[in-house]
Amino acid sequence: MKSCCRCHKLLPLNAFDKDPHVKSGIRGSCKACRYLEYKAWYSKNKHKAFAYSKQWHNANPEKVKISQRKSEIKRKYNLSWDQYLSKLSLQDSKCAICSSSLIGHRNCCVDHNHDTNQIRDLLCSQCNKLIGFARENSSILQAAIVYLDKHRT
């Protein structure tokens, strides 16, 4: 337990952020007080916050891409980044259909059942589009195979 230097409440240690610059390793003010301070500062300094954010985004494009990808995967599929990386590792970083490399994550799609939202595997964007254009119907894909075999030269 620790007392917050702002609100003076006695709180558990997990109510405080870590701070390597102080002897105890824990900030003096609790997370709730720091949030209120930041909120007040932000309302007075939106232009500074925006300029800093824009500068950081321009200086760190790769971190921004990864952060956006992490958020998208969590939002769309309720899949944590660790779960995503684990699935990628289990598939040896290859598409579950054509075995092309999924390194770089740009062409990596999380395939899922659109009715149940259950995640199946990771696919390259071409195979994901193939499944989508076939409306997830295996009969259409079988007919396409017969068609291609018929017209093979």
Side-chain angles (χ1 to χ4, degrees):
M1 300 290 278
K2 178 178 169 132
S3 178
C4 174
C5 67
R6 298 271 190 251
C7 64
H8 306 290
K9 290 180 185 173
L10 192 60
L11 301 167
L13 292 179
N14 65 358
F16 297 84
D17 287 319
K18 294 178 182 175
D19 186 353
H21 299 55
V22 296
K23 194 173 185 178
S24 68
I26 300 171
R27 289 191 180 271
S29 55
C30 68
K31 291 176 183 179
C33 288
R34 288 187 45 76
Y35 173 73
L36 292 174
E37 288 171 9
Y38 174 74
K39 203 172 164 184
W41 178 89
Y42 182 80
S43 67
K44 294 176 188 171
N45 298 284
K46 285 181 183 175
H47 60 285
K48 284 183 186 178
F50 179 75
Y52 174 78
S53 178
K54 187 174 181 180
Q55 178 186 8
W56 188 89
H57 277 71
N58 289 339
N60 300 284
E62 285 304 311
K63 287 182 181 180
V64 170
K65 282 181 191 175
I66 291 171
S67 177
Q68 288 172 339
R69 183 69 174 147
K70 285 180 183 181
S71 296
E72 175 189 29
I73 287 170
K74 184 66 178 173
R75 184 183 72 255
K76 281 185 171 180
Y77 312 109
N78 197 27
L79 193 64
S80 75
W81 189 245
D82 287 339
Q83 290 170 318
Y84 172 78
L85 292 178
S86 175
K87 195 162 237 343
L88 191 61
S89 178
L90 284 171
Q91 289 183 214
D92 215 15
S93 298
K94 294 184 189 297
C95 173
I97 295 176
C98 71
S99 298
S100 66
S101 175
L102 297 175
I103 301 295
H105 312 294
R106 279 198 80 201
N107 68 341
C108 186
C109 301
V110 178
D111 182 43
H112 64 288
N113 181 311
H114 287 258
D115 295 328
T116 65
N117 282 332
Q118 185 174 1
I119 294 168
R120 295 189 278 231
D121 279 317
L122 303 178
L123 304 176
C124 68
S125 59
Q126 291 87 349
C127 289
N128 190 51
K129 288 175 187 171
L130 173 72
I131 299 292
F133 288 141
R135 297 182 295 277
E136 297 187 21
N137 185 332
S138 58
S139 299
I140 293 173
L141 295 171
Q142 289 294 337
I145 291 168
V146 169
Y147 174 83
L148 288 173
D149 287 344
K150 178 181 169 186
H151 294 286
R152 184 157 291 172
T153 53

